[in-house]
Amino acid sequence: MTVAEDAWLVVIDMQQVFTGESPWATPRYDHASVGIEHLLPRFTGRTVFTRFTAPARPEGAWVPYYREWPFALAPAADPMWRLTEPFASAASDRGDPVVTVPTFGKWGTSLQAVVGDHPHLVLVGVSTDCCVLSTALAAADAGATVTVVADACAGASDEDHERALAAMRLYAPLITVVDTIADL
């Protein structure tokens, strides 16, 4: 597959909260991280990082969600919401934008302000079965071309990762899932 030269790499939620002993730890986080690191040089000047954070005050369906996950009701400046290395340094050193939103899906006005209304997005990060999936579907619905790099993503489990990839493959040709970074 050939990716357009003006495609944007969207690195979704490579944050501390998805590592280690966190209740939201993603088992293959390190594997996804390696894949993303290989892609960064290819998208110099066209990379955006995203961060999930809790809303100041949950509303609607988020109220019962945060009842189940009260540990996550921390302010956006809490260390658990920080990008992990090497992504924090990459964003800082390269001047890559960081979009922070309190929603699973990252497609919206903040991301559009960086990448434009109908971009080609190359999605990587965590969690395949939550934030990557939510971003891919919303972006495709809005007319963005979406490519998901499977081996640069990680899910809550291997099974959840594979189910999410299968669901996104159903959206072809709006969403293309490539298995490895070598397929780009």
Side-chain angles (χ1 to χ4, degrees):
M1 165 178 201
T2 302
V3 173
E5 287 186 28
D6 61 346
W8 282 84
L9 181 66
V10 180
V11 181
I12 299 175
D13 302 352
M14 296 300 286
Q15 297 169 258
Q16 198 63 44
V17 71
F18 300 111
T19 66
E21 299 301 315
S22 167
W24 288 352
T26 304
R28 294 193 185 267
Y29 186 96
D30 291 340
H31 177 80
S33 183
V34 169
I36 296 166
E37 284 183 73
H38 288 342
L39 287 172
L40 286 175
R42 191 167 168 189
F43 290 89
T44 300
R46 295 175 289 109
T47 300
V48 59
F49 293 89
T50 72
R51 289 186 329 134
F52 176 83
T53 59
R57 190 172 34 135
E59 296 179 355
W62 290 105
V63 172
Y65 179 83
Y66 283 105
R67 269 192 228 121
E68 287 190 35
W69 303 106
F71 86 95
L73 279 174
D78 189 282
M80 76 177 173
W81 300 125
R82 288 186 190 143
L83 293 174
T84 59
E85 290 301 337
F87 308 114
S89 293
S92 175
D93 296 347
R94 295 166 26 134
D96 294 328
V98 178
V99 171
T100 301
V101 294
T103 57
F104 295 149
K106 302 307 183 278
W107 182 254
T109 57
S110 295
L111 185 54
Q112 284 175 278
V114 175
V115 301
D117 290 334
H118 300 104
H120 184 163
L121 304 177
V122 176
L123 303 182
V124 296
V126 298
S127 173
T128 317
D129 47 303
C130 187
C131 297
V132 175
L133 176 65
S134 296
T135 302
L137 297 182
D141 267 351
T145 301
V146 177
T147 302
V148 177
V149 184
D151 71 346
C153 293
S157 68
D158 289 345
E159 296 78 22
D160 292 336
H161 172 75
E162 290 302 326
R163 280 193 292 261
L165 294 172
M168 288 185 279
R169 284 184 174 102
L170 295 172
Y171 285 81
L174 299 173
I175 300 173
T176 302
V177 177
V178 296
D179 292 320
T180 70
I181 59 173
D183 293 337
L184 288 180

